[in-house]
């Protein structure tokens, strides 16, 4: 079970790093320009797949942690 947890953890880290940032440039991060951060943007194609995969891997990670804990 711990091996499965390690595999899911590595996949979760990799998929989170693949996600595109919400800030368009580094200057927005530094200056705090968050006007487009909460804009209603629709994800399409690859972004949608990555987002759904992140949610799925997060849920699997949580469930495995609960199972190992009990």
């Amino acid at each position: 079970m711990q091996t499965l947890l390690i595999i899911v953890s590595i996949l979760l880290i990799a998929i989170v790093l693949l996600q595109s940032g919400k800030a368009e440039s580094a200057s927005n991060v530094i200056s705090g320009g968050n006007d487009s951060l909460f804009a209603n943007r629709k994800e399409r194609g690859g972004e949608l797949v990555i987002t759904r995969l992140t949610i799925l891997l997060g849920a699997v990670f949580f469930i495995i942690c609960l199972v190992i804990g009990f």
Side-chain angles (χ1 to χ4, degrees):
M1 192 60 98
Q2 284 87 6
T3 306
L4 184 62
L5 182 65
I6 291 171
I7 293 171
V8 170
S9 299
I10 291 171
L11 288 174
L12 187 59
I13 290 169
I15 204 75
V16 166
L17 290 176
L18 285 175
Q19 288 182 349
S20 63
K22 301 290 183 189
E24 301 300 325
S25 67
S27 64
N28 284 346
V29 172
I30 295 170
S31 66
N34 62 356
D35 54 341
S36 66
L37 179 64
F38 298 107
N40 195 3
R41 290 187 354 184
K42 283 220 175 236
E43 295 175 337
R44 295 190 175 126
E47 285 185 5
L48 183 61
V49 171
I50 289 175
T51 301
R52 288 185 178 166
L53 189 58
T54 304
I55 293 170
L56 176 71
L57 285 173
V60 169
F61 179 82
F62 184 71
I63 291 169
I64 291 173
C65 287
L66 284 176
V67 169
I68 289 175
F70 292 115

